[in-house]
Amino acid sequence: MADSVGKVVIPGDILSEFRASEKTSKVALGPGLRQEGEEVLVTKGGILRHKEPNLYWIDCHQRRYIPAKGEDVIGIVTVKSGDVYRVDIGATQPATLSYLAFEGATKRNRPNVKVGDLVFAKLLVANKDMEPELVCIDSGGHSSGYGVIPADGGFMVHTSLNLVRKILSPNCDILKFLGKNVPFETAVGMNGRIWVKAKTPKDTIVVANAIASSEHMTNAQIRTMIRQLLDKLSGF
Amino acid sequence: MKEVPMSTCEREFILKAIRDRKRIDGRQTYDYRRLKVSFGMERGCCIVDLGDTKVLAQVSGKIEEPKKNRPTEGSIIINLELSPMASPAFEPGRPTESGIEMNRILERNIRDSRAVDTESLCIVAGEKVWSIRADVHVLNDEGNIMDAASIAAITALSHFRRPDVSVMGEEVTVHSPEDRDPVPLSVHHMPVCVTFAFFDQGEFLLVDPNRSEERVMDGRMVVGMNMHREICTLMMSGGMLLVKEQVLRCSQIATVKVAEIIELIQRALDKDAQARQAGEKCGFAESVPTNKITTNRKEATAIDTTAAAQQASQVIQEAGPVDKPMSNMLVQAPGTVQIGEGLVNTWDVDDEDMESEEKEGREKSVTNGREAVATSKPTERKRPVKAGEGTVSHAEGSDSEEEETVMLFQGDDETKSTEEPDSTALMQPSNSDKPAKKKGKKKKAAQK
Amino acid sequence: MPTDSRRVPGPQDSRSPHWYGKHATRQEGDTRPDGRGDHDLRPVYLHAGVVSQATGSAYIEMGQTKVIAAVYGPREIARREEFTMKGRLCCELKFATFACRRRRQHIQDNQEKDGALIVLQALEPAVCLDRFPKSQVDVYITVLQDDGSALAAAITCAAAGLADAGVMMYDIVAGCSVRQCGERQLLDPSVGEELSQEGESAEDHGMVTVGLLPSLNQVSALTLDGHLQQQTAVQAVKTCIGGCQGIYPILKDCLVTSTRKKIPALDPKSSHASTEGQNGQT
Amino acid sequence: MSSTLGVLSDAERLFIVHGVQDDLRSDGRACEDYRHVQVETDVVSNTSGSARLRLGNTDILVGVKAEMGEPDPGRPKEGKLEFFVDCSANASPEFEGRGGEELAIEVSNALQRIFNSRSTLDLTALCIIPEGQCWVLYVDVLVLECGGNLFDAVSLAVKAALFNTRIPTVVVTADDEGQQEIELSDDPYDVKRLDVDNVPLIVTLSKIGHRHVVDASWEEELCSLARLTVGVTQKGTIAGLNKEGSGSLDPESIYEMIESGKKVGMVLNSRLKEALEKEENSKREKIGFLG
Amino acid sequence: MAGLEIISDQGYRIDGRRSSELRKVCARMGVFTQADGSAYIEQGNTKALATVYGPHEVRKGRGKIQHDRAVVNCQFSMATFSTGERKSRPKGDRRSQEMSMHLRQTFEAVIVTELFPRSQIDIYVQILQADGGNYCACVNAATLAVIDAGIPMKDYVCACTAGFIQDSPLLDISYVEESAGAPFLTVAMMPKSEQIVLLEMNSRLHADNMEKVLDLATQGCKDVFAVLDRHVRDHVSESHALMTAS
């Protein structure tokens, strides 16, 4: 088992021995692994990852988002019914967002949310039995970045979940490197939706396409690609 | 199952980009996406890839009794299937209104304009005639199904061969392909549709809208034309108002586009015919490019970097070591694994400066927005089989496992499109196994 | 001929042989082929409670005509239309494909829809619809063998089924039909008499079917085909009403036996007649 | 008649019922009066016969097309009559799509009932070659507006259309090896006409309260629980009878209704005959819908 | 159809019209009493009947309610006896569904639907007799019916066909000329502003002749507009006179 960490595993593989850590004899199985009696079975094709002390999970390529509690997502408001907005977050069912879940929202002072707006929110409730629920305030009641994303000039790209995890991970410097050269504003939703806004539509297109295509690039490749874009941009 | 809803933010952005004469995938206003026509093993089966929109057409024939009022004519039936596989918006069962409209346009474009001669399909007048049926299935909908379907239908019809038939008095014999080789249909002309999308009440105009542009457009116009600049069908219905001049301008643009598309179809047909004569393997399996990862790879789009030509040499030094052939898995960097031969460097260079013919005529038409998407591997990847420099193969089709498909070249050396007003910067030759040729081209571009 | 994709049909242009047979010439004289008088009913066998799944059901044999009806008690309406205070009665009549001499289609054709409408309008006046608002009673009738006056048998059988289902009714409905050829009126005609063409040329020829509420003496269904003078038409309707009154005791008896079977606690001694088996001939 | 056309409040219902009791209806007619009938034949050009009829605000257009086909094996020496009723959505939004099918089947069954006996229309005249070829008359009824009393209007329009039908005469020549050739005479005036005297007309008597009314408007139809449709020929024979509606009728009132139905039917038949003859030989300009 | 020459050498067509002449158009509004708006039109031998119900609340298919505008719902059907060959189904086939869709799109662009949110406007058109130019007769009849129903419209919408036979453009194609396989163009247009609402073309027409045929069709639409306008004014003045008189 220890040898197959980092290797590609396919659904149905049986993972036999585990390197239980010293302290606890237990092993934590993340997404993609399932315990069947004594054996551990792989349910999703991908690369087996291991993190000290005893966490194993499968890193697979997926576009369909499975809601998880506490994650930030970008949703599209589809229906305004009564005091609850229904928001599409790309999961199995649309999430609900109460009008009170905004900073400073009261019965009379309702937030200005229209059908079709983009909302950056945190998942308060997310499990397989209940409808996912969103909120746009942090525990302190402040919006701290959450809320309705203004629709003037920004663009949203639908990508796979891996890319989002990649650009949010510390050792990937695409955002920093891009940011140095083209000032832009971005919101990254764990459900594979990235909102980007630069000064002009031309820059926004360049940044959006750069991020979208950087999925299979190493940092070096990303840096060269961005440098080429900037030259092209300058000669535009 | 409804589609993913379109947020106002995306809608506003796309419209704003169009008003600035830009498109989110970097094409010009009159550019087609990468058009690829490939044929199956059987005669009459072809797949058309227009960008990511994929359409399969299959032609079949059977002998039937003719209709009473037309005893000496065979029948051509064209049916467009919008299968739910293509997009979540299509429902199985009865076709939606747009499905019916597309069916009718296809039918009018090919049948009413008598592209295929039905008189020649008659075997015994009044009793036995050929009934040719073209089934077009949409496999993936990334916008503009109409053009892809019309190209697929007419290409399949021209590619189809029906068994030869001989009539002796009453008795009709159908010859198997062994003793008499099958006969092609007599296709007079090849009508192809060009779709124009209109925005802001007809003020802005785009060719070949992709899916997001289709969802944002006010209305569309479909112009079906053939080589001889004859309009075979024209359909403009839906929520917007046009003026006469716009209609005439669209038909002129369509003339140019149709000429290129038909030229590509003709080349693909000839290429397939050569391959079949030479007895080489042909069919879809053959036409799948073997040296690409088909799953995770983003479509390679070329980078027009005429400005960066001076630093070409400096980029090459930085290139890392050559990776090994496909056989084993190679971990390039933490977090990524590479199965297969690895990505292709599409450092291809457009050596033509296409001025877009709009009024403001910028001095260098840069296919903007087309960022260095391709994973520009620093090194020129050598093909494992052929030795390096010497193979400046002139004709693409020379080496055997040359892929079946023919790309609509924009900067192609041999058949460079002459002075047509705007170029279809459709697709760079992303064919991976022609490194030698590419290098040569870059030098030429460098001298310009 | 509607093409039927689910079943393997016979060759399209097959034709049943009996068109080419000579029809039995009807011998003159007043007796009918099966020896009945002009105004005699055929022997009737009626039994309620034959379909266990249904809330109520009935099976009738008038001579060789066999009809079975199943009633599914008041249940909620399938498609939510607007609110209705009155209940709804739905009726479906289907001839089995083998029921008649000429094979019938598997889907309902216009004649069966017409028959279903007549049976529905026969039963509707008798049922207290306002007792089950917002719900619906379904009556499914299948004619197993059609040997003449199938519609009348269907009306009687459906009414018995409704009664057996315990649906509240003002009165039971009895159905009977009469064939008028020339000046003769043949009560409860068999299929030979129904289709015989020799009466066509005469001044009066036609077929009358009546659905009657016997105790209230109200006509709930009346249909007449063919050409009849006014007097003969009125006379035909009267004979039909007489025929319905004739069937009424059989209906009553059948329901008594089925109720007695269902509620055994009923004091056995007091029931005077009727053995356990079917009820007798008239 | 389905109450597709609207809802009637109880006050209106009471007003109509009481009016009928004293033989006065909401539009001033007596119990056995018909509304104004407008009939015009030959309004559609590419048909063998056509008629348009307007009874009050019920508007019917009937087209008869004669085509050649095989006879029914049961009746080899006779032609065929096919009825098709189409409730156009113009009549009411309910009839859009498949909405009007149920009513259409009811009307076509009523027509079938009065036409399927032999003495209605002499079908042997339609036979060309026994067991071989015969004329098939496709009678297509198009309901353009429903103002109540649909069955009467349809039967009147069908009779007028059949009166107006012209069937080209056919000459059957047997060539040498017994093959029968059918030639159509191309002279447009060399045509056969159908004898429609024996064709019955439907009179619908609606029972309102204790009396019955003839030619009920859609409001009156909503007030009546039971209707009796009586098919009456010119000579007064009853050619079809059908009780409709969810109510029941006592035998006496049935006989009374048959009596008055026959009376009204005979008057209707003669009035129609006069109108058709007058229109036939008056040769004035066709007004169609433009009138 | 080679034998039949569409245009005689003196320039007359089979039905005696010259090449740029419309067929005789006569119309009548308010044909029915129960519909909100109704109209009947005869263009040559093509007869069409249109009725309009609405704007009324959406009964069937609650799903398609638009919160900001009215939904236009059209149904086109041809009488079974309207064409030479008897049609078995009046409205089920693909051609009528396509025609219904075109009518809906045409009138969605012309009717001011913003004034009646969450409501539905039904337009039903019935072809009584078909002799070519069916779509145009439907559009013209429906325009009159919508005006009769008093529903606000941006402008009249008139439709006309124009063909190209023996290299001369012909106006208002009849069934004989249509089935002769000649290319013809159907235009639905707002006559005052000359804005094209719908454009449809069949069989082959060379791109250069496109302009001539389109101009002729535009002129045809203007003539149809003149006729319809006169009918509407007569109808309104006549009913006005009745009202003031009684």
Side-chain angles (χ1 to χ4, degrees), chain B residues 69 79 94 97-98 100-101 103-104 107-108 112-114 189 221 225-226 228-244 247-248, chain E residues 85 94-95 97-98 100-102 104-105 109 154 179-181 185 190 194-208 210-211 214-215 218:
Chain B
N69 50 13
N79 178 30
R94 265 159 39 84
E97 272 193 354
S98 63
I100 287 172
E101 182 181 35
N103 255 300
R104 288 286 301 150
E107 219 171 89
R108 247 207 307 271
D112 293 359
S113 70
R114 275 186 285 295
H189 59 94
M221 178 151 102
M225 265 178 136
N226 61 16
H228 327 299
R229 293 184 65 235
E230 285 170 330
I231 300 177
C232 301
T233 182
L234 191 129
M235 162 60 72
M236 193 287 286
S237 71
M240 64 173 181
L241 310 168
L242 278 189
V243 186
K244 183 165 70 84
V247 174
L248 298 177
Chain E
E85 236 171 280
R94 272 193 182 163
R95 199 184 295 268
Q97 279 171 358
E98 188 202 15
S100 317
M101 199 173 89
H102 287 169
R104 178 174 54 77
Q105 282 162 350
K154 291 178 186 134
S179 47
L185 192 74
M190 304 226 269
E194 283 196 17
Q195 284 181 319
I196 300 172
V197 183
L198 180 130
L199 186 64
E200 199 183 359
M201 211 217 63
N202 299 73
S203 74
R204 296 204 299 265
L205 170 72
H206 200 275
D208 310 341
M210 172 77 165
E211 182 148 12
L214 201 51
D215 290 344
T218 316

Side-chain angles (χ1 to χ4, degrees), chain C residues 10-236:
Chain C
Q12 270 80 5
D13 47 15
S14 61
R15 209 171 281 167
S16 71
H18 81 282
W19 291 116
Y20 305 99
K22 291 194 307 309
H23 289 294
T25 55
R26 219 174 59 68
Q27 77 278 28
E28 277 320 312
D30 53 3
T31 61
R32 293 154 74 168
D34 49 15
R36 289 183 284 156
D38 277 4
H39 288 288
D40 298 350
L41 288 169
R42 287 176 294 185
V44 178
Y45 166 76
L46 180 61
H47 186 71
V50 285
V51 179
S52 65
Q53 280 290 331
T55 330
S57 59
Y59 169 72
I60 192 169
E61 276 189 18
M62 293 176 79
Q64 293 305 322
T65 301
K66 302 177 178 67
V67 180
I68 187 165
V71 173
Y72 288 85
R75 53 182 179 182
E76 42 94 20
I77 295 179
R79 285 184 311 281
R80 294 277 324 122
E81 272 117 17
E82 66 286 351
F83 174 76
T84 53
M85 263 315 286
K86 268 156 64 87
R88 207 160 66 124
L89 189 63
C90 297
C91 176
E92 224 174 90
L93 174 72
K94 183 72 191 69
F95 280 79
T97 47
F98 43 77
C100 317
R101 199 181 283 168
R102 189 176 185 194
R103 180 177 184 279
R104 294 187 82 96
Q105 279 306 313
H106 62 282
I107 44 172
Q108 237 189 2
D109 61 15
N110 280 357
Q111 194 205 350
E112 282 158 354
K113 285 192 180 117
D114 190 30
L117 192 62
I118 290 169
V119 172
L120 174 68
Q121 283 165 355
L123 299 174
E124 220 163 348
V127 175
C128 325
L129 291 172
D130 44 14
R131 301 308 283 251
F132 44 96
K134 280 199 313 181
S135 52
Q136 162 185 333
V137 170
D138 286 310
V139 182
Y140 300 108
I141 305 165
T142 308
V143 177
L144 302 177
Q145 180 179 344
D146 174 14
D147 185 29
S149 63
L151 196 55
I155 292 175
T156 316
C157 186
L162 274 174
D164 184 56
V167 174
M168 311 270 280
M169 291 170 78
Y170 297 116
D171 186 359
I172 205 80
V173 184
C176 183
S177 52
V178 142
R179 168 85 172 117
Q180 174 82 34
C181 42
E183 63 299 329
R184 297 186 57 189
Q185 286 179 344
L186 308 173
L187 194 63
D188 192 7
S190 68
V191 68
E193 289 154 350
E194 210 175 81
L195 302 177
S196 65
Q197 270 111 3
E198 36 75 35
E200 293 282 322
S201 54
E203 178 49 23
D204 296 333
H205 61 275
M207 172 81 170
V208 178
T209 306
V210 164
L212 183 79
L213 277 65
S215 60
L216 302 172
N217 193 19
Q218 286 274 326
V219 170
S220 68
L222 167 63
T223 175
L224 178 147
D225 292 344
H227 277 238
L228 284 170
Q229 288 309 326
Q230 192 205 345
Q231 284 67 27
T232 35
V234 166
Q235 187 47 40

Side-chain angles (χ1 to χ4, degrees), chain B residues 5 14 33 40 76 96 177 183 187 199 206 303 306 357 395 399 444:
Chain B
I14 294 172
R33 286 169 291 180
I76 304 271
T96 58
V183 175
V187 178
F199 301 86
L206 288 184
I303 304 125
T306 44
E357 42 83 26
D399 36 24
K444 188 157 72 59

Side-chain angles (χ1 to χ4, degrees), chain B residues 324-375:
Chain B
K324 289 181 292 304
M326 178 168 90
S327 56
N328 54 15
M329 281 185 296
L330 195 70
V331 178
Q332 281 295 351
T336 63
V337 68
Q338 181 185 315
I339 305 163
E341 251 183 20
L343 304 175
V344 142
N345 172 4
T346 57
W347 266 86
D348 202 17
V349 171
D350 307 349
D351 43 22
E352 234 59 46
D353 297 350
M354 283 304 144
E355 245 62 35
S356 71
E357 42 83 26
E358 271 90 20
K359 258 82 67 209
E360 69 275 26
R362 276 167 295 111
E363 82 298 338
K364 185 160 57 54
S365 89
V366 177
T367 52
N368 59 2
R370 175 127 10 124
E371 289 64 35
V373 177
T375 53

